[in-house]
Amino acid sequence: MKIALFPGSFDPVTKAHVDILRRAIPLFDKVVVGIGLNSTKPAFLDIDKRKAMLKAVFADEDKVEVSTYEGLTVEFCKKIGATYMIRGIRTVSDFEYEKAIAQMNHSLVPEIESIFIVSKPGYSSISSTIVRDIMRNNGDVKQFIPKEAFDLLQKP
């Protein structure tokens, strides 16, 4: 069984994340969306909200599972039996950063392959960081977030 992990903070999930994952799903038997908990990076949305948003967005996908984890991403891959890690690439600087991480991960656990999926041009400017900044300043993020996630943002 080909299992892949799509790790990230998903704080919040964006249309760019959804595009990468929807394009990756046909390549694998199962894709686990792993919400990484990072103690050095304070979250904007709580973990339950992020998990609910992802589950709502991918409710129609039997091959997608949403989970949370702490610690090294490669260790989580081993725990869930994933031998592939999906990473989205928006820019050249993303590639350089992700390449370095992929090489380190490969040194730690050689059987895990990183799969890079290049963002579609229309999504290359969308990042969770920018969306969070817009949200913090009461801007309209509707065009950057999937409808199912946006609907959940409107609920307390």
Side-chain angles (χ1 to χ4, degrees):
M1 187 172 198
K2 289 192 301 189
I3 301 172
L5 172 68
F6 184 34
S9 63
F10 305 102
D11 188 21
V13 61
T14 67
K15 288 182 177 180
H17 292 128
V18 173
D19 173 61
I20 296 294
L21 185 53
R22 291 222 185 266
R23 290 166 48 210
I25 290 169
L27 305 173
F28 303 99
D29 298 309
K30 178 168 119 177
V31 178
V32 177
V33 179
I35 305 170
L37 305 175
N38 185 340
S39 61
T40 62
K41 184 178 169 184
F44 182 71
L45 299 172
D46 69 53
I47 192 67
D48 293 330
K49 178 74 82 172
R50 290 183 277 161
K51 199 170 185 179
M53 290 168 79
L54 284 159
K55 284 183 175 189
V57 171
F58 294 102
D60 64 332
E61 294 287 353
D62 293 338
K63 296 193 320 184
V64 174
E65 180 181 303
V66 179
S67 190
T68 59
Y69 72 96
E70 287 186 77
L72 291 176
T73 303
V74 289
E75 291 301 321
F76 184 62
C77 282
K78 287 179 2 184
K79 179 180 173 185
I80 62 171
T83 52
Y84 302 93
M85 194 181 311
I86 302 163
R87 299 300 294 160
I89 303 290
R90 293 173 297 143
T91 63
V92 172
S93 59
D94 277 357
F95 174 74
E96 291 296 330
Y97 176 75
E98 293 295 343
K99 180 182 82 164
I101 291 173
Q103 290 170 331
M104 293 301 286
N105 285 340
H106 190 71
S107 294
L108 293 169
V109 185
E111 49 278 353
I112 297 174
E113 285 295 337
S114 293
I115 307 296
F116 298 148
I117 298 180
V118 177
S119 175
K120 288 183 179 176
Y123 295 125
S124 64
S125 64
I126 301 173
S127 75
S128 290
T129 302
I130 294 170
V131 172
R132 278 194 307 273
D133 287 343
I134 295 168
M135 289 169 66
R136 275 191 193 97
N137 291 289
N138 300 314
D140 183 7
V141 295
K142 192 173 195 170
Q143 64 184 313
F144 309 117
I145 295 179
K147 181 188 179 329
E148 302 88 346
F150 185 78
D151 291 347
L152 286 171
L153 279 177
Q154 305 309 301
K155 297 177 182 176

